[in-house]
Amino acid sequence: MPWRTPYSICSPTCCHLLAIVLTTTVAPRAEARTWVVAVAHAQADDAGPGTEEQPFRTIGPAALAAQPGDTILVHPGLYRQRVVPACGGDKDKPIVYLSAQRGQAVIKGSDLFAPKWERAEGPEPVFRGVLDPAVFQGENPFHRGISINGSDTSKQVRPAQGELEDVLGEVFVESQPYTQVVRLADLRKQERSWLVPEDGKSILVHFPKSREPSRCLVEITTRNRIFAPLRRGLGHIHVKGFVFEHCANQGPFPQGGAVSVRSGHDWMIEGNTIRFAATIGLDCGSETWDGKALTDTAPEEQRIMIGGRHLIRDNDVTDNGLCGIAGWNHSGTKIVGNRVERNNRRKFPHGRGGWEEWAGIKLHAANALIQGNVVRDNQAFGIWIDNGYGDARIDGNLVLRNRLAGIFLELGHHPGYPCRVTNNVVGGTTGEGFYGGFGIYTHDASDVVVAHNLIFDNAGFGVLMRTITDRQASGKRVETSRNQILNNLFVNNAGGLMSLPYPNGRSQGLTSDNNVFWSDAAAGQAPFAINCYQDDIKLRDVAEELRRRLKQAGEADQQLPVVDAWAKNPRLTLDNWRLLLERDQGSQERRMMVRCDDRSLPASLTLTLDAAIAKVPCTRVEGLSADFRGQALPPSRQLPGPFQGLQTGENRIVLDAGAAP
């Protein structure tokens, strides 16, 4: 496929400049310069010099002209365009894209939609607006379906006959997303909804009764990226202080965020707002293993190209259709101090397309540092690293009210290079089906350390680890082995405290100790559980071993569990957990209370502790030197949980994470 510039990415002036940049070599300048962009300036002109007195009107000319060390200063205003960096910077001379006032330069992947509105038949205020094909920057997203598995990224779903499918495009009215429906009956019932009819030539919108459509600000997504190079692998680009919103970007794979590093390296993405993308807000990885799937890419770049070492800091990544931040196969990236909220906004259902790719933060094959983030209210996993996580650190994050699991590690085998999940506050997770709302969850994952976390008020188990497939990781059949669960606080997790496999050929060397457990619930099911999915053992055999050990400990025959009944519900008290598995010998059940108030940030936490918690011994965790707040761990007598220096009774803690890189 020839490399082509997507239609109308830039103005005609920018396209002319792009041709020059791609076919000539520009001699480096001795001094860096600042290119100025100001859409509202009276003298703004894309053919001008790009100075404060005569700035560019759009960002495109500056992006084409900038060389290492240059800054592109963008003044407040609305910029409806895709920004396409033509080249990267150098280690000591990055190219900096800077909003002159944080949050005041807004770059959108949408355009105004102001058709001649015609009222549809019926009593409801449903209006029809005809789509103009000329407005779309490439393919029409109101004709294309949504893919979350890479197999049908070009599937056309309009025009259509029979049952309709969702389209990729979106409609915003007065800056708020309206809800897409695919049945006319649902459109008539639901105010603030919209539908693309079978012929694909128009959009039907159900406006509120009090609104006159011609007086509403209506926008439709027309671009598949907002800030993304055409060339892959560019490095040392800094992007600071912008608002990026509205994008008709297709789901993975390839991963293509509204803001995308395009397999680049050493980017800094700081202080931005990235919201309302159709699928991924920001992608920070290497896009895909299948280079031929990368359209609008030079043939010589249609190959595996591994990037990384990005710093993603202090951004608001919210309300994106699928994922907030995604990254396939990259190393050394730091994701610190961000707010990642309300992603999977489009509520893609479990297993759509056979793949699961939704999360606040979803990384693959990444030894990333994920630290000090607020990850909350995502209709998806909070933080998820899949298919390789050796040496990754998930530390000091506030992970609240996500769906399925708060923190999820999947598919890994990293002896000597574990992923460390430490100092996190994980609570309020809700569940659905197979994913029952777990605080910290792993499957097919070995070499994970879960230590010094506060895990509370989750719908499922506080920690659940299991082996569910026969896949390969690092050339070895997956297991749940060598995981450690140490020095955590478990409070009021409705499904139970912990569920782990019984030792067998698929699960060896699990350690759990020096945790503190509490539940206010009335006595019901025992709080610990044995799980068995793809393990080399049967639960009936585990039940027989439990009976044997209980009898050896002096339990009366009539008190022994019935084998078949226990195998159907393999729950254990703390005493029997210790007896059967020889785990949690130093752990204790102690009264605790947790209240978290995150109505404003930084959030606050009230943690009430029993005096005896200070006497719980803690296991030293290799590589962990500070707590949630960045305070150094004491050389002796560490406290379980993410906070040191607590007192008996009520402690009020401001959840402002420690200094991040």
Side-chain angles (χ1 to χ4, degrees):
M1 177 182 292
W3 187 21
R4 62 182 177 84
T5 302
Y7 177 73
S8 295
I9 282 178
C10 311
S11 66
T13 300
C14 291
C15 290
H16 176 68
L17 287 170
L18 177 61
I20 295 173
V21 169
L22 294 177
T23 57
T24 64
T25 301
V26 180
R29 296 187 307 271
E31 295 183 2
R33 66 162 292 178
T34 297
W35 303 92
V36 181
V37 182
V39 67
H41 195 286
Q43 302 301 317
D45 188 343
D46 281 350
T51 62
E52 284 287 358
E53 295 75 22
Q54 293 180 283
F56 294 132
R57 188 178 62 83
T58 67
I59 305 168
L64 293 170
Q67 297 181 49
D70 287 357
T71 295
I72 298 171
L73 182 67
V74 183
H75 284 283
L78 174 58
Y79 300 84
R80 295 187 186 273
Q81 64 178 110
R82 171 177 172 174
V83 179
V84 184
C87 68
D90 297 328
K91 182 177 181 180
D92 298 320
K93 293 182 177 181
I95 294 178
V96 179
Y97 291 76
L98 177 65
S99 174
Q101 297 179 36
R102 178 170 174 167
Q104 297 303 305
V106 180
I107 308 176
K108 292 191 177 187
S110 62
D111 283 300
L112 292 174
F113 185 52
K116 180 181 179 182
W117 291 104
E118 296 181 354
R119 184 157 185 156
E121 293 183 7
E124 302 85 4
V126 173
F127 290 81
R128 182 188 306 273
V130 176
L131 289 166
D132 178 3
V135 305
F136 298 108
Q137 316 300 302
E139 296 189 33
N140 182 344
F142 293 90
H143 286 178
R144 183 185 287 194
I146 305 169
S147 169
I148 310 176
N149 62 14
S151 64
D152 57 353
T153 57
S154 297
K155 181 179 180 181
Q156 298 297 304
V157 297
R158 300 291 190 282
Q161 294 181 345
E163 187 173 344
L164 298 179
E165 297 182 35
D166 285 348
V167 300
L168 183 60
E170 295 194 275
V171 175
F172 298 85
V173 180
E174 305 297 349
S175 300
Q176 295 302 309
Y178 273 27
T179 301
Q180 181 178 179
V181 297
V182 294
R183 298 195 313 156
L184 186 59
D186 293 333
L187 179 73
R188 295 194 180 282
K189 290 177 184 177
Q190 186 171 345
E191 200 174 77
R192 295 181 173 85
S193 64
W194 61 275
L195 176 149
V196 178
E198 291 87 342
D199 63 9
K201 295 180 179 180
S202 62
I203 298 176
L204 292 170
V205 182
H206 186 161
F207 289 93
K209 292 181 180 179
S210 60
R211 306 305 298 269
E212 171 60 40
S214 62
R215 296 182 180 180
C216 292
L217 174 69
V218 182
E219 299 165 285
I220 60 172
T221 50
T222 56
R223 299 167 185 82
N224 66 358
R225 301 290 182 94
I226 304 175
F227 190 107
L230 289 177
R231 295 174 56 196
R232 301 177 68 208
L234 300 183
H236 301 289
I237 293 175
H238 295 183
V239 184
K240 299 184 177 183
F242 294 91
V243 174
F244 300 100
E245 62 183 15
H246 304 173
C247 188
N249 55 325
Q250 187 57 277
F253 278 86
Q255 290 178 339
V259 177
S260 174
V261 304
R262 297 248 33 221
S263 305
H265 60 91
D266 298 287
W267 285 45
M268 179 188 291
I269 301 171
E270 182 176 32
N272 304 285
T273 296
I274 304 171
R275 63 191 180 197
F276 296 124
T279 56
I280 297 170
L282 165 65
D283 84 79
C284 59
S286 304
E287 300 175 274
T288 183
W289 57 91
D290 179 11
K292 298 301 181 184
L294 294 165
T295 58
D296 299 325
T297 299
E300 63 270 19
E301 293 183 358
Q302 290 180 331
R303 56 184 172 83
I304 291 179
M305 187 181 294
I306 304 301
R309 300 190 304 275
H310 307 298
L311 176 57
I312 301 167
R313 179 170 61 192
D314 189 27
N315 301 282
D316 291 309
V317 186
T318 72
D319 301 288
N320 295 291
L322 180 67
C323 286
I325 300 172
W328 176 81
N329 204 346
H330 55 113
S331 64
T333 294
K334 298 176 181 178
I335 302 173
V336 295
N338 303 281
R339 290 150 300 281
V340 182
E341 303 173 339
R342 299 182 302 278
N343 296 290
N344 195 19
R345 168 178 54 85
R346 296 178 74 157
K347 298 182 181 178
F348 291 112
H350 170 65
R352 175 175 177 144
W355 289 23
E356 302 168 3
E357 293 296 333
W358 52 87
I361 301 171
K362 171 70 191 286
L363 307 182
H364 294 78
N367 61 347
L369 171 66
I370 303 174
Q371 184 178 61
N373 303 282
V374 176
V375 182
R376 60 181 179 175
D377 298 316
N378 296 284
Q379 290 293 313
F381 300 106
I383 300 170
W384 179 6
I385 307 183
D386 184 4
N387 201 359
Y389 44 73
D391 258 351
R393 285 189 60 200
I394 302 173
D395 180 81
N397 301 283
L398 178 60
V399 184
L400 296 177
R401 296 184 304 276
N402 299 290
R403 190 168 66 95
L404 310 178
I407 297 174
F408 179 15
L409 279 301
E410 177 181 9
L411 194 62
H413 174 82
H414 304 284
Y417 302 93
C419 174
R420 294 176 174 86
V421 182
T422 55
N423 289 329
N424 300 285
V425 176
V426 185
T429 314
T430 58
E432 176 187 335
F434 187 71
Y435 300 107
F438 313 120
I440 298 175
Y441 172 67
T442 75
H443 68 226
D444 299 347
S446 297
D447 306 297
V448 177
V449 177
V450 176
H452 284 284
N453 301 283
L454 170 60
I455 307 166
F456 72 102
D457 289 350
N458 297 290
F461 284 95
V463 170
L464 189 148
M465 298 178 172
R466 56 189 171 188
T467 307
I468 66 169
T469 74
D470 282 323
R471 294 179 292 177
Q472 298 281 312
S474 302
K476 179 179 174 60
R477 189 171 68 152
V478 293
E479 299 178 357
T480 298
S481 293
R482 299 177 301 281
N483 296 341
Q484 301 176 58
I485 306 166
L486 306 169
N487 315 334
N488 301 285
L489 303 179
F490 292 77
V491 186
N492 291 335
N493 296 288
L497 298 171
M498 201 181 303
S499 176
L500 301 175
Y502 188 78
N504 69 92
R506 304 289 299 278
S507 181
Q508 304 174 52
L510 297 187
T511 302
S512 176
D513 207 0
N514 301 328
N515 301 291
V516 182
F517 307 114
W518 183 254
S519 176
D520 289 330
Q525 291 198 99
F528 296 88
I530 301 294
N531 64 67
C532 184
Y533 289 84
Q534 293 291 325
D535 298 273
D536 296 335
I537 197 167
K538 303 298 182 185
L539 284 172
R540 292 190 86 264
D541 297 330
V542 180
E544 293 285 7
E545 177 63 14
L546 176 61
R547 284 174 57 89
R548 187 188 70 78
R549 293 197 180 205
L550 285 169
K551 192 167 185 176
Q552 190 177 49
E555 193 78 36
D557 287 350
Q558 60 269 29
Q559 299 299 319
L560 298 178
V562 177
V563 169
D564 288 339
W566 188 89
K568 292 178 181 177
N569 186 27
R571 309 286 292 220
L572 296 165
T573 63
L574 177 57
D575 287 341
N576 287 352
W577 178 259
R578 289 168 170 163
L579 179 69
L580 180 64
L581 299 170
E582 300 178 3
R583 295 176 185 152
D584 285 292
Q585 302 297 334
S587 299
Q588 296 187 24
E589 291 179 315
R590 294 293 175 185
R591 179 177 293 277
M592 294 179 284
M593 292 177 57
V594 179
R595 296 195 307 275
C596 185
D597 183 357
D598 65 324
R599 289 173 292 181
S600 62
L601 296 177
S604 64
L605 185 82
T606 302
L607 180 58
T608 305
L609 301 177
D610 185 294
I613 288 178
K615 299 179 181 179
V616 175
C618 281
T619 304
R620 282 213 158 269
V621 177
E622 184 179 352
L624 184 64
S625 59
D627 72 355
F628 180 98
R629 295 174 288 189
Q631 297 180 5
L633 296 180
S636 61
R637 277 298 167 195
Q638 296 175 12
L639 291 177
F643 311 108
Q644 300 300 308
L646 301 182
Q647 306 298 317
T648 299
E650 186 173 286
N651 296 268
R652 188 177 184 278
I653 303 159
V654 176
L655 296 178
D656 199 1

